[in-house]
Amino acid sequence: MIRNVIGSVVALVGAAAAVQSPFQRWYQDRLGRDYRIQDLFDGITGVSSSVMASILLPFLFAALVTLVGVVLRSRWVVALAGLIVLGFTVLWMVRQGQAAGSLTVDGDGSGLRWGVAQALAGGVLLLLGALLMSGRRRTTRPGDAAEPYPVPPDDHPDTWPPTQEPGPSAYTSPAPEPEADPYTGPGRHRASPPADEDTAQYPVQQPNEGEGQGGDRYHPPHP
């Protein structure tokens, strides 16, 4: 949060410096707002320009982009505004160098002036503000579905993510769990013969004579 505030302030200062720079002298005694937009693409001429058709126009657009980036807390949008300011300033320097033969900074007031330096400083501040901003972080909403954990490997099917500690099996049967036998009478704990051994070693006990006619298996009738 603090980084976004600091970065936004730095970016707004850079945008203000870029917008104010065309009202300063750019080359010798000529103001930046005297240069036409088409001069940046066709070559510098001595024809003066109106304010809204001058180099001020892209800087105003960059300031608008900066405001959008600050409101959205988007560092990429703010960085785009800085690139716009630096791009048009460098383009002007290239065209002015072609028209004048060279670009110099002289102490007698000829050559590049303070307006160019202010525009370059504004673009650098915009990029610095974008770097200082932490951006907009995505918040998890209650309705968002949680990302599923990866399926455990085949050699460790009982590994529970994400700690990879032994836990309940990842492959469960949809059948219901077997219920316990409620019978607790005699013979409840008698061992059953193993299924894999010969059944001949464990003869099947024949029912008593009384069974089948309603007799008691464990209390046969007396003769």
Side-chain angles (χ1 to χ4, degrees):
M1 182 64 182
I2 298 179
R3 289 185 57 185
N4 282 329
V5 173
I6 297 176
S8 299
V9 172
V10 174
L12 291 176
V13 171
V19 172
Q20 203 270 338
S21 63
F23 297 93
Q24 304 290 335
R25 292 182 174 88
W26 277 48
Y27 191 79
Q28 295 182 357
D29 292 333
R30 193 174 183 181
L31 301 179
R33 60 182 177 85
D34 290 336
Y35 293 95
R36 300 181 303 172
I37 289 292
Q38 56 265 34
D39 290 347
L40 301 180
F41 303 96
D42 299 335
I44 301 297
T45 62
V47 180
S48 299
S49 172
S50 61
V51 175
M52 296 308 299
S54 66
I55 198 175
L56 175 65
L57 184 60
F59 291 167
L60 288 176
F61 177 74
L64 180 61
V65 173
T66 303
L67 291 177
V68 174
V70 169
V71 172
L72 298 179
R73 291 182 294 178
S74 175
R75 56 192 309 180
W76 301 110
V77 176
V78 176
L80 176 62
L83 293 178
I84 292 175
V85 173
L86 291 177
F88 276 92
T89 304
V90 172
L91 180 60
W92 174 88
M93 295 175 66
V94 171
R95 292 302 185 184
Q96 183 61 46
Q98 293 176 351
S102 63
L103 291 177
T104 59
V105 180
D106 299 329
D108 57 354
S110 61
L112 297 177
R113 302 299 297 271
W114 169 249
V116 180
Q118 186 174 347
L120 293 175
V124 172
L125 287 177
L126 284 170
L127 294 180
L128 181 60
L131 291 176
L132 292 176
M133 295 175 64
S134 59
R136 190 172 185 176
R137 298 181 180 179
R138 183 179 182 272
T139 57
T140 304
R141 299 179 180 178
D144 294 344
E147 296 182 0
Y149 292 115
V151 179
D154 296 337
D155 54 345
H156 295 86
D158 291 336
T159 303
W160 185 257
T163 58
Q164 300 300 321
E165 296 179 357
S169 176
Y171 307 98
T172 57
S173 175
E177 297 182 359
E179 299 181 357
D181 188 5
Y183 177 73
T184 58
R188 172 69 177 81
H189 302 288
R190 183 170 53 189
S192 301
D196 57 348
E197 295 184 6
D198 189 4
T199 56
Q201 299 179 4
Y202 301 92
V204 180
Q205 183 179 1
Q206 300 296 330
N208 295 329
E209 295 179 358
E211 295 182 5
Q213 292 86 17
D216 189 354
R217 177 180 177 182
Y218 300 99
H219 299 83
H222 296 284

